[in-house]
Amino acid sequence: MSLPHAILTALLEKPSSGLELTRRFDKSIGYFWSATHQQIYRELGKLEGEGLIRALPAEQPARGQKKSYEVLPAGRAELARWTAAAQDPKPLRDTLLLRLRAAAVVGTAGLEADLRRHLELHRRQLAEYEEIERRDFPPERNAPEDRLRHLVLRAGIDLETFWTQWLSHALAEFPGPSGDGETG
């Protein structure tokens, strides 16, 4: 049930239309909670039906005009309730780890190249997160809400650091000239 809470969070940060939410998901929340345009619009309708958000009145009535939404007090209360509720961590489900386990019984053909591809993808994502950190979180930006947003970004940085290190170790396990421990 996290998508409605992600939308409530984004709307509390800034009232937005469905299209604006989609763009914001692509640029920030989408790094850790993705949603399609259709999912966002469907959820906006549900949230509005439940009385958690409302469409802002249009400045000029026009057919086909995009609606902007804001969170109502009931929506803020629901988000506060959800934020305070205990939640167990989700077990890790990663196809790459399963594929490595399967390779132990069927062989590693083609796997090394994909591990290298994954390593490059994680290196790029890590560089992007580090650039966001340099740009958006200078030391003087220290308000409590900024520190919490920075914590979320740090989680992404730490996860990408883990994956780049782990993939380097995994590639070192492949024998021969291409798996000699050199990962670039």
Side-chain angles (χ1 to χ4, degrees):
M1 187 160 151
S2 294
L3 179 56
H5 298 102
I7 290 172
L8 288 171
T9 299
L11 289 175
L12 278 170
E13 291 173 342
K14 180 183 176 192
S16 304
S17 69
L19 180 58
E20 291 165 339
L21 277 174
T22 300
R23 289 180 181 148
R24 289 174 58 210
F25 264 70
D26 289 345
K27 291 181 181 175
S28 61
I29 291 174
Y31 284 120
F32 56 91
W33 196 267
S34 62
T36 66
H37 188 74
Q38 293 85 358
Q39 289 171 316
I40 289 172
Y41 274 95
R42 188 171 40 246
E43 204 57 53
L44 284 169
K46 288 179 188 175
L47 290 168
E48 189 174 25
E50 293 168 3
L52 301 178
I53 65 171
R54 74 174 179 119
L56 292 168
E59 292 176 16
Q60 298 176 358
R63 192 171 165 98
Q65 182 179 9
K66 66 181 180 182
K67 291 189 223 178
S68 285
Y69 296 89
E70 69 177 355
V71 177
L72 294 170
R76 180 180 283 277
E78 168 53 23
L79 189 58
R81 182 209 59 78
W82 179 78
T83 301
Q87 201 170 39
D88 292 336
K90 300 281 185 223
L92 177 63
R93 291 178 58 169
D94 190 287
T95 306
L96 180 61
L97 297 176
L98 183 57
R99 290 173 54 219
L100 278 172
R101 182 71 183 253
V105 292
V106 299
T108 61
L111 193 53
E112 182 179 357
D114 200 40
L115 289 173
R116 291 189 185 286
R117 186 181 68 81
H118 276 251
L119 178 58
E120 183 53 35
L121 291 170
H122 285 289
R123 283 179 174 161
R124 277 193 240 142
Q125 189 64 63
L126 177 58
E128 186 175 344
Y129 286 163
E130 289 172 337
E131 177 54 34
I132 292 169
E133 183 178 44
R134 279 189 292 279
R135 182 190 69 222
D136 294 348
F137 295 101
E140 64 275 6
R141 190 170 176 185
N142 201 25
E145 60 274 10
D146 290 328
R147 288 197 309 268
L148 290 174
R149 288 183 185 112
H150 191 199
L151 273 174
V152 173
L153 178 61
R154 282 300 322 167
I157 290 170
D158 292 347
L159 283 169
E160 294 304 328
T161 299
F162 161 78
W163 280 113
T164 57
Q165 291 172 350
W166 182 85
L167 284 160
S168 295
H169 292 303
L171 283 163
E173 295 298 320
F174 281 77
S178 61
D180 58 7
E182 294 296 316
T183 57

